[in-house]
Amino acid sequence: MARSAESLGMSQPAASRVLRELEELMGIPLFERLPRGLQPTWFGDSMIRHARTALSAVDHAFSEIAAMKSGLTGVVRIGTIMSPATALIPDAVVRVKQRFPQVRLIVRVESSDTLFPMLRQGELDIVLARPLEEENNQDIEFEPLGGEDVCAMVRTGHPLANAADVTLSDLARWPWVVPEAGSVLRRRFDQLFRVSRVTPPADFVETGAQLLITSLVGRSDTVALLPREVTEYYVSHGIGAMVPIELDCRMDPFGIATLGEAPLSPAAFAVLETIRERAAELYLEDARR
């Protein structure tokens, strides 16, 4: 007890009092009092393990803060679906580079069913996507951010752009560009026509490549299936027009996902905090509108 008190910078009576108060709080003896010292009980061994974990976490926090103060370096790999790639991720990337210019960022834009395996395999540090319904996600730490509506987008001047009373049957007559089979959005698209008992479009191209999607829309009468946030971004830049129809095809909430068993590096943690910061601002702004 004397050596323990000395390492803590307190008197032996004070250390004995702290231990006694802890045991009274727990309602169990943590140590056996022996003639030549203390012997941890079974309960004490458990408390010691948890105390070491807590101290290790505190040390890790100090190391991260020191790294952040001295200027972060390292590589952070982010995976995202389409919607966050239009505003949230670009805004967060700009802030990260302003604060930590030496951090190298790699951003992949893919579907959720591609991003989660990459996260589990250690190919990505942070993912913005929606959990796959059929998978066990206990190994994933997930912070939901919000759901998203889906829209139909066409080129400016397309007959559907200013049409009145557009129906699913009307949409089914046009060529489409849709997500690849197996993706969450594609399943919802197929379900939309099936539930409405409308024959789905027979003329379509499957792709998730945004450049190809916008090129097909701009060069033809193709209709694109896109999240509302993405559609509004394209419309605001004159790239396309939104078809005036409400599609009953709302997606499940997407959010921030990390691998629970893999601690983030100081640089990745700083990027994660910046994404959280911008997400809180962005979706609060949307709620106010």
Side-chain angles (χ1 to χ4, degrees):
M1 179 61 77
R3 289 196 297 272
S4 298
E6 182 180 356
S7 67
L8 293 171
M10 61 174 63
S11 66
Q12 181 174 334
S16 297
R17 186 175 63 254
V18 170
L19 177 57
R20 186 173 61 254
E21 291 173 351
L22 180 58
E23 289 180 320
E24 290 175 354
L25 178 65
M26 301 295 294
I28 49 174
L30 298 175
F31 291 87
E32 293 182 49
R33 273 65 174 176
L34 304 176
R36 297 182 60 84
L38 302 176
Q39 178 70 35
T41 64
W42 184 79
F43 301 107
D45 283 333
S46 178
M47 179 62 75
I48 288 170
R49 287 198 307 273
H50 287 288
R52 285 174 175 163
T53 300
L55 290 172
S56 176
V58 172
D59 289 340
H60 187 63
F62 276 109
S63 298
E64 286 188 356
I65 292 171
M68 293 170 70
K69 289 172 62 178
S70 61
L72 288 181
T73 60
V75 179
V76 181
R77 299 155 301 175
I78 306 168
T80 180
I81 56 176
M82 284 191 292
S83 290
T86 60
L88 174 56
I89 292 302
D91 291 348
V93 165
V94 169
R95 290 190 186 185
V96 168
K97 297 304 289 184
Q98 289 173 342
R99 297 168 179 173
F100 314 109
Q102 297 181 48
V103 171
R104 180 184 169 199
L105 297 174
I106 300 175
V107 181
R108 294 282 302 271
V109 180
E110 303 284 354
S111 61
S112 295
D113 59 319
T114 298
L115 293 173
F116 276 96
M118 294 177 68
L119 178 64
R120 289 188 169 97
Q121 293 164 13
E123 298 175 29
L124 296 171
D125 302 301
I126 303 167
V127 160
L128 281 92
R130 56 181 57 82
L132 303 180
E133 300 169 352
E134 66 276 11
E135 288 194 6
N136 183 344
N137 295 305
Q138 292 182 351
D139 58 334
I140 301 294
E141 293 185 2
F142 183 74
E143 306 169 36
L145 295 178
E148 54 184 344
D149 296 325
V150 175
C151 300
M153 188 184 80
V154 293
R155 62 174 173 79
T156 304
H158 191 288
L160 288 175
N162 298 309
D165 301 322
V166 177
T167 66
L168 281 180
S169 297
D170 296 330
L171 293 178
R173 300 189 185 100
W174 296 90
W176 278 76
V177 54
V178 296
E180 296 178 58
S183 67
V184 176
L185 184 53
R186 175 61 180 278
R187 288 197 296 269
R188 295 294 171 86
F189 177 73
D190 294 339
Q191 183 181 27
L192 173 65
F193 285 89
R194 185 167 58 250
V195 170
S196 301
R197 297 184 178 181
V198 174
T199 302
D203 181 3
F204 59 85
V205 174
E206 300 182 38
T207 184
Q210 290 303 292
L211 182 58
L212 179 57
I213 292 172
T214 55
S215 294
L216 285 172
V217 169
R219 295 166 182 262
S220 67
D221 288 335
T222 299
V223 183
L225 179 72
L226 295 169
R228 179 176 294 274
E229 186 174 350
V230 177
T231 304
E232 290 176 343
Y233 175 83
Y234 286 145
V235 170
S236 67
H237 287 74
I239 297 174
M242 188 182 301
V243 178
I245 181 174
E246 293 292 330
L247 298 179
D248 187 14
C249 193
R250 183 172 176 81
M251 301 294 291
D252 294 335
F254 68 86
I256 304 171
T258 55
L259 196 59
E261 62 185 21
L264 295 175
S265 68
F269 183 77
V271 172
L272 176 61
E273 287 295 286
T274 305
I275 292 173
R276 286 172 173 156
E277 173 189 289
R278 181 54 186 143
E281 298 169 354
L282 187 62
Y283 297 113
L284 179 60
E285 291 171 2
D286 289 343
R288 285 173 176 170
R289 296 194 194 106

